[in-house]
Amino acid sequence: MDRFNYQDLKNEEEFLRLPELDSPSIVRYVDFAEDIHFGYLVLQLCEYTLEEYIQDHLPDDTAERTLVLKKLVKEVLCSLQVLHDQKTKVLHRDIKPQNVLIDIKGKARLADFGISRRLKQGETTIRTSIAGTRCWKAKENINEKVNTGYKRSSDIQVAGMLVYYILSGGHHPFGEDVDCEYNVLRGRYSLQHLDDDVAKDLVEWMINENPNERPTVEQTLTHPFFWTDDRRVRYLKILGNEKEAENCRNADEELLKAISKHTEGKSFSEWKNKLPSELVQKLDGKKKAYPENTLGLLRFIRNLHEHYLEDAESINLMASFPDLFGSVFSLAKERGWNSRASLKKFFSSAPQI
């Protein structure tokens, strides 16, 4: 790098030398050298930027591609977790596709800490002149030219834009070019390139225009988007034990109306026709038949796993009803059920994917 950007280079070297950044999630520092004209920062070998990888190197197989994209999202957030840790206290301030590198094993790592800053003990905000890249700035950092306040939540909003960029195959939630920052300032976004309601929920949480409403990076990693199928089924089983599902045969009209918004056109709207008829008859015959709505299905799932485990293990619920979890999660969030003690535990630890 030439002398014009020398200070940014030295700043990056300083950060990469921090013991706290010696992590598998951060691009590894190797060496630094300089002459009268240039400075040279030597980093571990990486094959692509995230931008290059998304454009030209994703798997063709849809299922494999989905898994790779989810893995990339988690790796980027794990990188940010290292920076935001209470011991590290680093704000990246320039998160964008070009500043995520993909190593030779296909792992994503945050890089380019030239304009990063470290919070002092007890600090939550750093004030400097404006920093970052156009279209990759948080709302609160766009118009202020001097004395601009940067927080962890500022990184989070931009990381949310990057999560959408990854999952959508290269699109920006606030649009492209001249309209992008205008849309960020007004909270106008589109998630049209995402079909997964759970992924949409994660992105919307992160790009919230109110910094105080955005999650911490730790909270993003516990989001249901990252849950395994087994964890999602366990969540559905617990919901099936809640009073609303237990009372599925006598649910009140207001609840049924709210549920219908999450059911129309979904794979589970006529769920009895998509499960083995002998299994449905076996459980229906024990009491009054289960209603063919979401509450009835949740109660069916609970009782199936509670009393007919062998039958339960023969059914892949996530494959039979691919949109069930997302719809039920959205309903439970809307109704405030996820804050109950029986369900709250699902959101307190980050599962592996």
Side-chain angles (χ1 to χ4, degrees), residues 201-255:
D201 184 82
L202 173 61
V203 172
E204 286 187 313
W205 195 16
M206 295 179 72
I207 66 173
N208 193 306
E209 60 183 326
N210 182 349
N212 297 323
E213 295 296 325
R214 297 172 199 155
T216 64
V217 67
E218 289 80 13
Q219 288 174 321
T220 67
L221 288 165
T222 66
H223 190 275
F225 176 69
F226 296 113
W227 293 2
T228 63
D229 283 353
D230 284 346
R231 189 180 182 92
R232 292 182 175 202
V233 171
R234 291 202 305 273
Y235 173 84
L236 296 177
K237 283 163 53 183
I238 297 295
L239 268 175
N241 211 31
E242 295 296 302
K243 59 186 178 182
E244 291 81 4
E246 187 176 5
N247 194 40
C248 62
R249 297 174 181 86
N250 299 294
D252 67 68
E253 287 301 317
E254 185 275 330
L255 177 55

Side-chain angles (χ1 to χ4, degrees), residues 68-280:
V68 167
L69 293 177
K70 181 175 283 193
K71 182 180 78 73
L72 290 173
V73 168
K74 186 169 187 185
E75 287 167 352
V76 167
L77 293 177
C78 285
S79 290
L80 190 58
Q81 185 181 33
V82 173
L83 299 186
H84 284 191
D85 184 87
Q86 290 301 321
K87 293 181 180 178
T88 316
K89 302 187 294 294
V90 170
L91 308 183
H92 190 283
R93 305 203 310 159
D94 199 18
I95 296 171
K96 58 185 179 181
Q98 297 84 354
N99 286 346
V100 177
L101 301 181
I102 309 298
D103 69 17
I104 57 175
K105 294 183 179 179
K107 181 172 183 175
R109 301 164 185 259
L110 273 175
D112 198 342
F113 302 97
I115 61 171
S116 298
R117 295 293 182 270
R118 195 174 192 186
L119 294 164
K120 296 176 183 175
Q121 190 66 36
E123 269 188 339
T124 59
T125 305
I126 285 178
R127 294 195 172 276
T128 70
S129 58
I130 196 166
T133 301
R134 191 178 176 282
C135 292
W136 297 97
K137 297 176 188 174
K139 175 182 178 179
E140 59 271 18
N141 302 141
I142 289 178
N143 279 339
E144 296 295 331
K145 303 301 181 186
V146 294
N147 201 31
T148 304
Y150 290 87
K151 296 175 176 280
R152 289 179 175 90
S153 56
S154 306
D155 272 353
I156 290 293
Q157 189 183 31
V158 185
M161 300 175 195
L162 188 66
V163 169
Y164 182 77
Y165 176 92
I166 295 171
L167 296 177
S168 68
H171 298 278
H172 197 295
F174 292 97
E176 310 296 334
D177 303 325
V178 294
D179 293 330
C180 182
E181 290 197 343
Y182 179 87
N183 290 336
V184 173
L185 288 171
R186 283 152 187 79
R188 296 178 183 171
Y189 61 86
S190 169
L191 306 183
Q192 63 177 330
H193 297 97
L194 288 187
D195 295 324
D196 183 348
D197 289 338
V198 185
K200 288 180 182 179
D201 184 82
L202 173 61
V203 172
E204 286 187 313
W205 195 16
M206 295 179 72
I207 66 173
N208 193 306
E209 60 183 326
N210 182 349
N212 297 323
E213 295 296 325
R214 297 172 199 155
T216 64
V217 67
E218 289 80 13
Q219 288 174 321
T220 67
L221 288 165
T222 66
H223 190 275
F225 176 69
F226 296 113
W227 293 2
T228 63
D229 283 353
D230 284 346
R231 189 180 182 92
R232 292 182 175 202
V233 171
R234 291 202 305 273
Y235 173 84
L236 296 177
K237 283 163 53 183
I238 297 295
L239 268 175
N241 211 31
E242 295 296 302
K243 59 186 178 182
E244 291 81 4
E246 187 176 5
N247 194 40
C248 62
R249 297 174 181 86
N250 299 294
D252 67 68
E253 287 301 317
E254 185 275 330
L255 177 55
L256 291 174
K257 186 175 180 180
I259 287 172
S260 67
K261 293 191 304 180
H262 298 274
T263 307
E264 187 175 352
K266 302 293 186 179
S267 63
F268 55 92
S269 59
E270 296 180 347
W271 58 268
K272 289 187 179 183
N273 293 335
K274 296 172 184 175
L275 292 173
S277 57
E278 63 276 11
L279 185 58
V280 173

Side-chain angles (χ1 to χ4, degrees), residues 21-51:
L21 292 191
D22 184 11
S23 164
S25 296
I26 302 294
V27 67
R28 193 174 70 253
Y29 169 83
V30 177
D31 201 0
F32 181 83
E34 58 185 306
D35 57 30
I36 61 172
H37 298 294
F38 296 98
Y40 306 91
L41 187 61
V42 184
L43 306 175
Q44 75 176 98
L45 177 63
C46 290
E47 292 198 300
Y48 312 107
T49 67
L50 177 64
E51 181 180 43

